[in-house]
Amino acid sequence: MPRVTSSIASNVEQVQERIARAAARSDRRPEDIVLVAASKTFPAEAIRAAYDAGIRAFGENRVQEWESKQAELTDIKPSWHLIGHLQSNKARRASRLFDWIDSVDDAELAAKLDDAAGETNEWLAVLIEVQVDPTESKSGVAQVDLPALAEAVIQMPHLQLRGLMTVPPFCEDPRDARPYFRRLRRLRDDLEQHLGRSFPELSMGMSHDFEVAIEEGATQVRIGSAIFGERARK
Ligand SMILES: *Cc1c(COP(=O)(O)O)cnc(C)c1O
């Protein structure tokens, strides 16, 4: 096995063990937490190595970058998530390339995704990205606008709203991110009450803070550097 490939395999194993321990601490089952490997900047062969190590969900940030890699990976069928900000002019391409859009943050974008998915008689799983700290985050819907956006999205026949996603501000001590994760969960609970539906997914937690996120109810953790190594700086 090439060195990079074998280190990805052992990183996956270590991250899975940490997920299992965090789940145990919070009386949860590890199989209820999906590890979404965040593969931006890494090549198709790194994705394949993670797949071979058992990963069945991947998150990419940019439509164009993923277009350039996916041709090499058509033989594997994990679920592909778009986790980065999506411009509505790329909604059609994104709907063809991804199974999940985790970063829906406005109704116009959602409507374009719905139309595009409808053209092929398909549906897309989506999460609404929420800004949990308006002073720091660039993307995501403002908390006050979340109920109206969710109400709009659940009317769209080709979108299935599964839950919420967030990227909290970077905290030196990951425990300081706990209030943000707690807030996302509370927003989700309020939304379920308000709309009388269930939105089971909470996508929160990255390499630096995923254990805290799991303790606060994450069902999907998006992990890049702890699996693939440090990203090259631009
Ligand atoms: C890059 C990225 C991640 C993973 O970040 P790491 O710190 O490398 O684990 C998770 N979510 C989003 C939205 C990202 O852009």
Side-chain angles (χ1 to χ4, degrees), residues 22-223:
R25 277 200 297 282
S26 39
D27 276 329
R28 302 185 57 207
R29 300 184 308 172
E31 58 269 33
D32 294 339
I33 297 143
V34 173
L35 170 46
V36 180
S39 44
K40 61 171 176 266
T41 78
F42 293 97
E45 62 196 6
I47 295 175
R48 187 177 295 281
Y51 180 87
D52 290 342
I55 299 287
R56 290 295 178 269
F58 290 88
E60 282 278 333
N61 285 64
R62 290 166 168 277
V63 171
Q64 203 149 325
E65 181 184 340
W66 175 233
E67 270 173 340
S68 71
K69 296 183 209 175
Q70 56 110 218
E72 293 173 59
L73 295 164
T74 50
D75 57 318
I76 59 171
K77 300 274 176 255
S79 55
W80 305 110
H81 294 236
L82 180 70
I83 62 175
H85 180 68
L86 177 61
Q87 291 167 319
S88 56
N89 63 3
K90 293 189 182 139
R92 170 161 286 102
R93 276 152 72 200
S95 79
R96 303 284 187 276
L97 289 163
F98 295 96
D99 305 300
W100 287 72
I101 308 290
D102 296 356
S103 51
V104 171
D105 62 359
D106 111 336
E108 187 205 343
L109 169 64
K112 292 214 162 126
L113 288 168
D114 183 52
D115 282 349
E119 282 171 9
T120 49
N121 283 318
E122 286 178 11
W123 53 268
L124 270 172
V126 300
L127 302 178
I128 292 179
E129 181 176 358
V130 185
Q131 230 175 19
V132 285
D133 177 4
T135 60
E136 295 253 354
S137 336
K138 301 151 294 244
S139 54
V141 67
Q143 290 174 44
V144 291
D145 298 325
L146 171 62
L149 177 56
E151 274 183 60
V153 173
I154 63 172
Q155 306 298 324
M156 298 181 184
H158 304 284
L159 300 186
Q160 287 193 0
L161 179 58
R162 299 285 183 81
L164 304 180
M165 183 271 231
T166 199
V167 183
F170 180 84
C171 302
E172 205 57 58
D173 181 343
R175 288 172 298 186
D176 294 338
R178 191 180 298 281
Y180 299 109
F181 297 139
R182 204 166 274 181
R183 184 170 311 159
L184 192 73
R185 182 183 185 149
R186 187 152 26 87
L187 289 167
R188 188 278 307 272
D189 293 348
D190 291 349
L191 206 57
E192 287 187 333
Q193 269 235 308
H194 177 62
L195 296 176
R197 296 200 183 201
S198 104
F199 302 111
E201 305 293 341
L202 289 173
S203 174
M204 55 188 195
M206 321 203 315
S207 294
H208 177 65
D209 55 16
F210 69 90
E211 285 143 312
V212 179
I214 289 170
E215 289 166 13
E216 295 302 327
T219 62
Q220 300 183 9
V221 289
R222 307 176 309 269
I223 300 187

